[in-house]
């Protein structure tokens, strides 16, 4: 029961509970107490004047980042110094792949995930590209298959043995040529197996069917370099950002532009679909050169739903979205921190949760697929941070603090698995299907028996003046022309040396023959 007391001219509300056996005290308190209506009005006034902020109830409000110990990091890795805006890292439950610095051509390391610690300088690499490697991506359905693209205008498919590389790998299982300039981006289709998208500096997107080893579609609607590609959940829509400051939503099979936004106040750099919420999120730069994020309705790109400025730094913001938890992670290139938000369907749409901070700047980040996380530790996301200053890869786990050691079904719903929903032929015919879901609960893992088989192509020849024109493909870029020129010069030098050695050998044989003819004793014998 509330009691009003006067102390120094101020009114104070005190709650008193009546104790059993003290009826007299209760009667006196009741005599001094105001009426119920006055008490209710006073409580409402105090509630309205409360200074405490109103927190939104969220199970992910206390998520924190945990850096792996030194022995669980990957040291002495010569991370590439290329300034291309990509992550240069790809990871799955078996392997970790990192693009490395190399003197000639392009190469990347493939390390078994359990092989942490110091990596030897002469560790085996994948080094078949003739130009710098710009992007690498693991096949989401076959964990031993990785795709790479390069400045040599090619896209290559590699098959990594289960135990990792024992020697340098130079022969790809499949080489794909179709771009006229360097290839900067590759993306696997999220639900159809062996469908790969590649974006080149020729402003084109090629769709490759790896079952036949050929490009089956081409998207030619961009007027400048394509900066980013992102699929929705079932792969029926493709969002792209371009250097022409436009955001596009495409139908990937036909290449038809469904929605297009000309961003005047928000220069878009990266885009990501927000699951089944029918929303897009872009990161970019405002007209005041501040880093900014914007939320869009995928069916109406006339103006953003909301915009939010982040800071005034210059590094590109990379967005990562977790479909299962509706959490958005923002990591800036050259930053040491990772911000994370919760996405809601209603206002305020973006709810800031917390920020992971680290003094070491990041060049790129690899992300572990959901089925590779440690559910016993309540891990909901894992980054692999590239630190060029230390030549180190540092795992960072995002963890929901829970006391119980049981499986937490509320933070681990059914998620996209490793089984494809469509074959390439079905997807090309126009069929759309969502991903095949799997449970992360211990003991339930559906085996995927998919195996990659490189197509066998018939060898054709077109011989002109003794030269097979199909075997000797003409160079496509200036760098490739220079490399071919130097190779030919080296081949000419080697052939000249062989010719001079054979000339010397012929002269020696001629002298021996003359000696035999001029010596009569040898003739008699």
């Amino acid at each position: 029961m509330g009691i009003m007391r006067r102390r120094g001219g101020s009114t104070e509300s005190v709650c008193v509970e009546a104790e059993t056996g003290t009826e007299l005290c209760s009667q006196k308190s009741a005599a001094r107490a105001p009426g119920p209506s006055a008490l209710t009005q006073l409580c409402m006034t105090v509630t309205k004047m409360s200074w405490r902020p109103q927190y939104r109830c969220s199970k992910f409000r206390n998520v924190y980042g945990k850096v792996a110990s030194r022995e669980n990091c990957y040291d002495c890795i010569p991370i590439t110094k290329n300034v291309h805006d990509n992550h240069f890292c790809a990871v799955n439950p078996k392997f970790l792949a990192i693009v490395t610095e190399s003197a000639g051509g392009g190469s990347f390391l493939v390390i078994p995930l359990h092989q942490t610690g110091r990596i030897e300088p002469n560790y085996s690499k994948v080094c078949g590209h003739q130009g710098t490697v710009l992007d690498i991506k693991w096949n989401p359905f076959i964990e031993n298959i990785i795709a790479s693209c390069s400045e040599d205008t090619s896209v290559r498919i590699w098959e990594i043995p289960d135990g990792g590389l024992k020697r340098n790998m130079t022969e790809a299982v499949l080489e794909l040529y179709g771009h006229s300039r360097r290839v900067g981006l590759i993306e696997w289709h999220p639900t159809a197996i062996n469908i790969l998208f590649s974006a080149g500096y020729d402003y084109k997107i090629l769709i490759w069917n790896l079952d036949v080893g050929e490009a089956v579609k081409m998207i030619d609607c961009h007027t400048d370099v394509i900066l980013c590609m992102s699929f929705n959940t079932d792969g029926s829509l493709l969002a792209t950002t371009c250097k022409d400051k436009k955001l596009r939503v495409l139908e990937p099979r036909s290449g038809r532009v469904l929605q297009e936004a000309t961003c005047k106040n928000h220069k878009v750099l990266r885009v990501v679909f927000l699951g089944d919420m029918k929303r897009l999120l872009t990161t970019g730069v405002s007209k005041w050169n501040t880093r900014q994020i914007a939320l869009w309705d995928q069916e109406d790109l006339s103006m953003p739903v909301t915009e939010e400025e982040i800071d005034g730094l210059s590094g590109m913001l990379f967005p990562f979205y977790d479909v299962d938890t509706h959490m958005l992670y923002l990591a800036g290139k050259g930053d040491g921190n990772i911000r994370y938000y919760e996405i809601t369907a209603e206002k305020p749409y973006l709810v800031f949760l917390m920020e992971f901070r680290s003094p070491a700047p990041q060049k790129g980040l690899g992300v572990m697929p959901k089925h590779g996380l440690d559910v016993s530790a309540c891990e909901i996301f894992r980054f692999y941070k590239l630190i060029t200053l230390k030549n180190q890869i540092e795992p960072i786990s995002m963890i929901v603090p829970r006391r119980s050691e049981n499986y937490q079904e509320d933070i681990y719903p059914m998620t996209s698995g490793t089984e494809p929903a469509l074959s390439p032929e079905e997807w090309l015919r126009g069929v759309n299907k969502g991903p095949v879901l799997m449970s992360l609960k211990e003991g339930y893992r559906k085996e995927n028996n998919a195996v990659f088989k490189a197509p066998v192509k018939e060898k054709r020849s077109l011989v002109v003046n003794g030269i097979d024109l199909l075997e000797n493909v003409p160079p496509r870029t200036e760098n490739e022309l220079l490399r071919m020129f130097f190779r030919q010069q080296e081949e000419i030098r080697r052939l000249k040396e062989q010719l001079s050695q054979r000339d010397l050998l012929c002269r020696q044989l001629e002298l021996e023959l003359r000696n035999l003819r001029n010596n009569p004793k040898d003739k008699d014998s």
Side-chain angles (χ1 to χ4, degrees):
M1 178 176 287
I3 299 177
M4 305 298 297
R5 294 180 182 174
R6 292 278 184 179
R7 289 186 181 179
S10 62
T11 304
E12 179 181 56
S13 178
V14 181
C15 293
V16 177
E17 292 183 0
E19 299 181 2
T20 57
T22 57
E23 296 180 359
L24 182 60
C25 181
S26 300
Q27 291 175 0
K28 291 180 179 180
S29 299
R32 292 197 301 268
S37 59
L39 177 61
T40 304
Q41 185 177 1
L42 180 61
C43 292
M44 291 174 63
T45 303
V46 172
T47 303
K48 289 180 181 179
M49 296 175 63
S50 176
W51 59 270
R52 293 186 180 89
Q54 299 296 318
Y55 288 107
R56 180 179 176 274
C57 181
S58 171
K59 66 184 78 171
F60 305 110
R61 198 180 74 190
N62 297 316
V63 170
Y64 66 94
K66 182 180 179 181
V67 180
S69 59
R70 182 61 184 270
E71 57 268 16
N72 290 323
C73 296
Y74 304 84
D75 294 319
C76 302
I77 295 177
I79 302 170
T80 180
K81 296 181 176 62
N82 196 300
V83 295
H84 191 69
D85 286 324
N86 262 343
H87 296 295
F88 301 110
C89 179
V91 63
N92 67 15
K94 278 188 177 182
F95 300 106
L96 172 67
I98 313 104
V99 179
T100 58
E101 191 71 14
S102 57
S107 63
F108 58 94
L109 281 173
V110 177
I111 307 169
L113 203 65
H114 60 82
Q115 189 176 336
T116 56
R118 185 176 184 273
I119 303 301
E120 295 297 329
N122 57 350
Y123 194 87
S124 301
K125 298 178 182 179
V126 179
C127 50
H129 279 287
Q130 297 174 354
T132 304
V133 177
L134 299 179
D135 199 9
I136 50 176
K137 294 283 169 59
W138 288 104
N139 190 318
F141 308 114
I142 309 175
E143 293 181 339
N144 292 60
I145 299 296
I146 186 170
S148 62
C149 63
S150 168
E151 288 185 347
D152 62 6
T153 73
S154 71
V155 177
R156 304 193 184 197
I157 310 299
W158 312 85
E159 185 171 7
I160 309 300
D162 284 334
L165 298 177
K166 304 302 180 184
R167 60 182 63 87
N168 286 347
M169 180 178 285
T170 58
E171 295 294 328
V173 294
L174 197 57
E175 296 184 11
L176 307 172
Y177 289 95
H179 290 280
S180 59
R181 299 181 65 186
R182 61 180 175 173
V183 187
L185 293 172
I186 48 175
E187 286 289 342
W188 294 94
H189 193 275
T191 60
I193 191 171
N194 289 342
I195 292 290
L196 181 68
F197 286 64
S198 64
Y201 276 62
D202 53 3
Y203 315 154
K204 295 178 177 60
I205 297 176
L206 295 183
I207 306 174
W208 304 90
N209 180 0
L210 303 188
D211 283 355
V212 298
E214 294 178 354
V216 291
K217 301 283 184 181
M218 182 179 70
I219 300 174
D220 190 12
C221 62
H222 299 86
T223 59
D224 211 325
V225 177
I226 300 156
L227 302 176
C228 183
M229 296 187 292
S230 177
F231 287 99
N232 64 342
T233 306
D234 61 359
S236 60
L237 296 175
L238 175 68
T240 64
T241 58
C242 185
K243 217 170 180 179
D244 60 6
K245 299 182 181 180
K246 290 185 179 180
L247 171 65
R248 296 175 175 88
V249 177
L250 314 170
E251 202 289 318
R253 280 175 287 250
S254 63
R256 183 166 54 94
V257 179
L258 303 178
Q259 293 287 332
E260 183 177 281
T262 302
C263 308
K264 297 180 179 179
N265 298 328
H266 173 74
K267 180 184 176 183
V268 292
L269 298 176
R270 291 272 162 171
V271 62
V272 63
F273 268 99
L274 301 182
D276 295 327
M277 300 180 71
K278 294 188 176 181
R279 293 278 194 272
L280 290 166
L281 185 126
T282 59
T283 65
V285 182
S286 68
K287 59 182 178 181
W288 296 283
N289 286 331
T290 58
R291 295 197 295 190
Q292 191 180 47
I293 58 176
L295 193 67
W296 306 78
D297 184 353
Q298 73 180 34
E299 297 177 352
D300 181 14
L301 298 183
S302 58
M303 62 180 298
V305 176
T306 183
E307 293 179 340
E308 183 174 329
E309 291 190 1
I310 304 299
D311 53 33
L313 300 179
S314 59
M316 177 183 285
L317 279 176
F318 294 111
F320 303 90
Y321 182 66
D322 186 356
V323 178
D324 301 331
T325 61
H326 303 294
M327 286 182 63
L328 172 72
Y329 300 86
L330 293 179
K333 186 176 182 179
D335 298 356
N337 58 344
I338 300 174
R339 300 175 177 88
Y340 37 103
Y341 300 75
E342 189 170 7
I343 306 294
T344 60
E346 300 175 352
K347 289 185 178 180
Y349 303 114
L350 293 167
V351 180
F352 178 75
L353 296 175
M354 210 174 289
E355 182 177 354
F356 167 81
R357 295 188 177 183
S358 169
Q362 58 223 6
K363 183 177 181 65
L365 292 165
V367 175
M368 173 65 75
K370 236 6 184 343
H371 57 275
L373 300 179
D374 183 7
V375 296
S376 62
C378 295
E379 183 184 31
I380 58 172
F381 218 75
R382 189 191 303 166
F383 293 101
Y384 285 79
K385 179 178 175 180
L386 276 65
I387 307 174
T388 52
L389 296 178
K390 300 179 182 179
N391 285 335
Q392 184 185 70
I393 311 296
E394 182 182 73
I396 302 172
S397 298
M398 311 307 292
I399 295 175
V400 179
R402 294 284 175 94
R403 292 183 179 180
S404 175
E405 296 181 357
N406 297 330
Y407 179 72
Q408 308 293 321
E409 293 186 1
D410 59 329
I411 62 175
Y412 294 117
M414 298 286 285
T415 187
S416 299
T418 58
E419 184 180 354
L422 294 169
S423 66
E425 293 76 16
E426 290 175 331
W427 183 79
L428 291 170
R429 287 199 305 266
V431 181
N432 292 320
K433 281 187 181 179
V436 178
L437 302 180
M438 66 177 290
S439 172
L440 298 181
K441 192 170 184 178
E442 186 179 0
Y444 177 77
R445 288 293 174 89
K446 189 169 183 179
E447 293 294 332
N448 180 18
N449 297 321
V451 177
F452 181 78
K453 294 182 179 179
V456 179
K457 297 182 179 180
E458 295 182 1
K459 184 175 176 61
R460 296 176 297 172
S461 63
L462 179 61
V463 180
V464 177
N465 296 330
I467 300 175
D468 191 346
L469 298 181
L470 296 181
E471 181 69 21
N472 298 276
V473 181
R476 294 177 174 84
T477 63
E478 184 178 352
N479 289 335
E480 191 173 345
L481 177 63
L482 289 173
R483 284 194 295 271
M484 184 174 290
F485 171 76
F486 289 127
R487 282 200 304 267
Q488 290 177 350
Q489 292 294 316
E490 181 66 23
E491 181 70 13
I492 292 171
R493 186 191 62 80
R494 187 180 62 82
L495 291 174
K496 284 183 176 180
E497 288 181 355
Q498 289 182 359
L499 185 60
S500 62
Q501 290 175 0
R502 291 180 180 179
D503 286 342
L504 181 61
L505 182 61
C506 289
R507 290 175 185 174
Q508 290 176 352
L509 292 174
E510 287 178 355
L511 288 174
E512 290 181 2
L513 185 60
R514 287 178 184 176
N515 291 334
L516 289 173
R517 288 176 179 176
N518 295 331
N519 193 345
K521 293 182 180 180
D522 293 339
K523 289 181 181 180
D524 296 336
S525 60

